[in-house]
Amino acid sequence: MLKKYINTFMIALLITLGTGCDGWLDMRPINGVVKQDYWKTKEQVRASMFGAYASMTGNFRGGHVTENMFLWGELRAYMVGLNQGANFNDTQIIFGNIQPVNNITDWSSIYGTINLCNLVVDYAHLALETDQTFREEDMKNYVAEARALRALMYFYLVRTFGEVPLVIDAVDTDEDELAPAKSSKEAVLSQILEDLNLAEVDIYEGHESNAASKGRMTKYAVNALQADVHLWMENYELAVQAADKVLAGPYGLVPQEEWARALFIQGNSVESIFEIQYQAPQNNPFFQMFSMDQGRRFIAYPSVLSDVFGFNPEQPEDIDLRSIDASLKTSGEIFKYTSLGPNTRRVATESFANWIVYRLADVMLMKAEALSQLNRGAEALEIVETIRERGGAAMSTEENLTTTDGDAILRYILKERAREFAFEGKRWFDLLRVAKMNNYSNLDLLITVAIENAPVTNLNSIINQLRDTRSHYLPIFNTELNSNPNLVQNEYYLR
């Protein structure tokens, strides 16, 4: 459904974004065009909102949003290792040599999407004045979608960089502020929650088709993001409340035998809450990252099968059904995004697997994590058991825990999340969220994953780096620093 609007979007994009410049100036459109010559009809508002979604599926502002989601969420978590196609920047992240010149730290594509959302939030209402067929409830829904998508983009930024510029006003003339300073993590998170609370009031529960309801923000996607943000902020009661809203929605876990096919091959399953959509002619970026045909960049660490999924070659019958031929191959090939079946791979022209942002199992385990910190361990373990049973978890990874041991339950949930969401761009964020709880009471989690899989040649420096909590956030890309005199480099990288 989204793809039929791409051509309209490209026209709108040229109108609203203007000439290309460096860094923050890339947000600048042509003077006067946006407010005076656009925002006249409901079709223009719709195309602009769809343009914000489309900006995440291609090479936008020199980057690819879903590729960033993967790289930021996986490379420092040491489940993903380097292969022959890895580039210099990939290698530097894995080896802990993280510098501001590394283009993996380039956030420009994320801010490009944010500005497209800002434009809808600020100007969608103007079309009500000139298009009598534009219903106010539809306009409010588009604004709510834009707020929700903007909140998602800022949630990635604040978890990855810590303090970031908070820009919530559309950049639509050359006179607008193009050099904002950083805002505190607390201010960014507060804005995220404000956007989500406002969006929840007006956003639709679903859209005109199944693909549209999965590929656009809905009330349930807002609730899923609320649960995630509250969990990050250690607001556990609120996280449970938000998760319960999703669990009351029209979702269900796909059967185990359909796990890989329904979720990753076909996409938009009954379990899906929000997916970034791909279809011809727009390929995703994952074929060249994982395919055997093009010198893939990344593989799974050899220890993932044994340490994460519990695979023992001497007991091949006790196998996690989400592992071999589903998430990965025994060779270490990451299989989720290149698979067309247990023994069939996509070719380059078929690389249309969606990128799943939220699905029901994710929200269920978010709730379990919050429950574990609310002295409701029995309920948390019941949820974990449901996910394990659906996933066909290996018996070797089962743990018999007391319902009162909240810390042990929390760590068990974290292990189950690694199995359920392997290579889905969540692992580093999961580790960091739990590590930083209660003033970094679980910092050992980050140290342990490094000891297990970080390159031996750099292990000591990586461990020392991880012990400094300022290093948990990436540096600001040097291009941004050079183009914005009000930006200050993150403290760890000033040394």
Side-chain angles (χ1 to χ4, degrees):
M1 187 65 189
L2 297 179
K3 291 303 175 185
K4 65 181 288 188
Y5 292 93
I6 294 301
N7 288 337
T8 305
F9 156 66
M10 292 306 296
I11 296 171
L13 190 63
L14 290 174
I15 292 174
T16 58
L17 293 181
T19 58
C21 304
D22 292 331
W24 273 92
L25 299 182
D26 274 346
M27 299 181 73
R28 182 177 61 194
I30 298 172
N31 273 341
V33 169
V34 171
K35 286 183 285 190
Q36 295 177 15
D37 300 325
Y38 200 65
W39 310 106
K40 300 291 188 182
T41 68
K42 64 178 182 291
E43 288 80 13
Q44 288 173 323
V45 174
R46 183 176 177 86
S48 297
M49 186 65 246
F50 278 39
Y53 291 117
S55 70
M56 298 189 293
T57 67
N59 193 323
F60 183 53
R61 299 299 196 201
H64 205 301
V65 169
T66 53
E67 184 173 352
N68 283 341
M69 288 176 170
F70 175 84
L71 296 174
W72 294 351
E74 294 290 346
L75 287 196
R76 292 178 289 170
Y78 294 109
M79 282 178 63
V80 171
L82 301 167
N83 200 54
Q84 61 185 4
N87 60 45
F88 177 77
N89 292 314
D90 302 330
T91 303
Q92 294 299 95
I93 297 288
I94 292 286
F95 276 78
N97 299 322
I98 305 174
Q99 300 295 328
V101 295
N102 191 315
N103 65 15
I104 290 175
T105 69
D106 185 355
W107 62 29
S108 57
S109 61
I110 304 291
Y111 274 106
T113 298
I114 287 171
N115 195 52
L116 291 174
C117 293
N118 290 346
L119 290 165
V120 174
V121 172
D122 285 359
Y123 301 134
H125 71 278
L126 296 177
L128 290 174
E129 301 173 8
T130 54
D131 187 344
Q132 300 304 311
T133 68
F134 194 15
R135 300 188 306 168
E136 184 174 6
E137 57 264 39
D138 289 338
M139 182 276 294
K140 288 182 176 180
N141 170 72
Y142 288 130
V143 171
E145 285 186 69
R147 287 187 181 276
L149 191 58
R150 178 172 74 184
L152 178 66
M153 294 296 97
Y154 272 118
F155 192 42
Y156 271 92
L157 288 170
V158 75
R159 290 181 298 171
T160 303
F161 297 95
E163 296 180 347
V164 296
L166 184 58
V167 183
I168 59 172
D169 295 319
V171 177
D172 66 354
T173 75
D174 290 345
E175 286 73 40
D176 283 335
E177 174 62 60
L178 295 175
K182 292 191 296 186
S183 295
S184 68
K185 288 179 281 188
E186 293 75 17
V188 176
L189 289 166
S190 177
Q191 181 62 48
I192 289 169
L193 289 178
E194 179 180 339
D195 269 340
L196 293 174
N197 292 337
L198 289 170
E200 187 180 13
V201 175
D202 294 320
I203 200 166
Y204 293 157
E205 291 187 3
H207 300 292
E208 61 272 18
S209 68
N210 181 63
S213 293
K214 306 297 185 181
R216 295 167 60 185
M217 297 298 285
T218 63
K219 190 179 295 289
Y220 298 111
V222 167
N223 297 146
L225 181 50
Q226 286 172 325
D228 208 358
V229 175
H230 283 305
L231 202 58
W232 183 265
M233 298 176 69
E234 301 178 37
N235 300 330
Y236 299 119
E237 290 282 4
L238 293 174
V240 170
Q241 292 174 23
D244 280 341
K245 293 177 183 179
V246 179
L247 299 181
Y251 306 103
L253 296 175
V254 302
Q256 191 288 313
E257 61 271 16
E258 289 293 319
W259 187 81
R261 176 165 293 279
L263 290 175
F264 304 104
I265 299 174
Q266 295 174 341
N268 296 331
S269 72
V270 68
E271 186 168 329
S272 169
I273 300 168
F274 178 56
E275 302 184 12
I276 296 175
Q277 306 282 306
Y278 287 93
Q279 65 184 59
Q282 182 60 63
N283 286 17
N284 62 39
F286 302 117
F287 187 82
Q288 54 88 20
M289 294 172 72
F290 309 124
S291 171
M292 297 178 65
D293 296 337
Q294 292 189 356
R296 61 186 183 270
R297 290 164 65 183
F298 304 115
I299 59 173
Y301 274 105
S303 62
V304 169
L305 266 181
S306 58
D307 295 350
V308 174
F309 289 105
F311 178 68
N312 183 347
E314 296 181 359
Q315 295 178 307
E317 71 285 351
D318 183 28
I319 182 173
D320 192 307
L321 299 178
R322 295 165 295 186
S323 60
I324 300 173
D325 295 339
S327 293
L328 74 169
K329 291 285 193 177
T330 55
S331 63
E333 177 188 357
I334 295 172
F335 201 50
K336 276 185 173 177
Y337 309 104
T338 60
S339 169
L340 283 175
N343 299 299
T344 308
R345 294 171 177 82
R346 297 177 188 268
V347 297
T349 55
E350 297 173 324
S351 191
F352 305 130
N354 290 344
W355 177 256
I356 300 175
V357 179
Y358 289 116
R359 54 187 176 93
L360 184 62
D362 193 0
V363 177
M364 291 173 67
L365 288 173
M366 288 183 206
K367 180 180 178 179
E369 186 173 318
L371 291 171
S372 76
Q373 302 305 296
L374 294 171
N375 299 315
R376 296 167 65 180
E379 297 170 73
L381 288 172
E382 184 177 349
I383 292 172
V384 176
E385 182 55 34
T386 298
I387 298 299
R388 286 179 58 80
E389 183 177 353
R390 189 284 296 267
M395 293 181 61
S396 61
T397 60
E398 185 177 6
E399 298 181 20
N400 295 315
L401 305 174
T402 63
T403 59
T404 57
D405 193 343
D407 183 65
I409 295 171
L410 174 68
R411 290 172 181 246
Y412 188 34
I413 293 167
L414 192 61
K415 294 174 186 176
E416 192 57 37
R417 287 186 64 86
R419 289 183 278 271
E420 180 68 27
F421 308 114
F423 320 120
E424 293 185 40
K426 296 183 182 290
R427 184 59 174 165
W428 169 256
F429 298 130
D430 285 349
L431 287 168
L432 182 56
R433 181 183 65 249
V434 176
K436 72 180 185 63
M437 286 172 53
N438 302 318
N439 196 26
Y440 275 96
S441 62
N442 298 313
L443 183 59
D444 64 289
L445 288 168
L446 297 180
I447 307 299
T448 298
V449 297
I451 291 172
E452 290 173 349
N453 281 327
V456 175
T457 55
N458 287 47
L459 182 57
N460 287 336
S461 63
I462 290 171
I463 291 174
N464 289 333
Q465 182 181 93
L466 289 171
R467 285 181 175 140
D468 187 333
T469 60
R470 298 173 302 170
S471 77
H472 300 165
Y473 300 96
L474 292 180
I476 298 173
F477 192 40
N478 66 335
T479 299
E480 297 295 341
L481 288 171
N482 293 336
S483 63
N484 182 351
N486 294 322
L487 276 182
V488 177
Q489 183 58 270
N490 288 342
E491 186 178 3
Y492 180 81
Y493 305 94
L494 290 173
R495 302 180 303 170

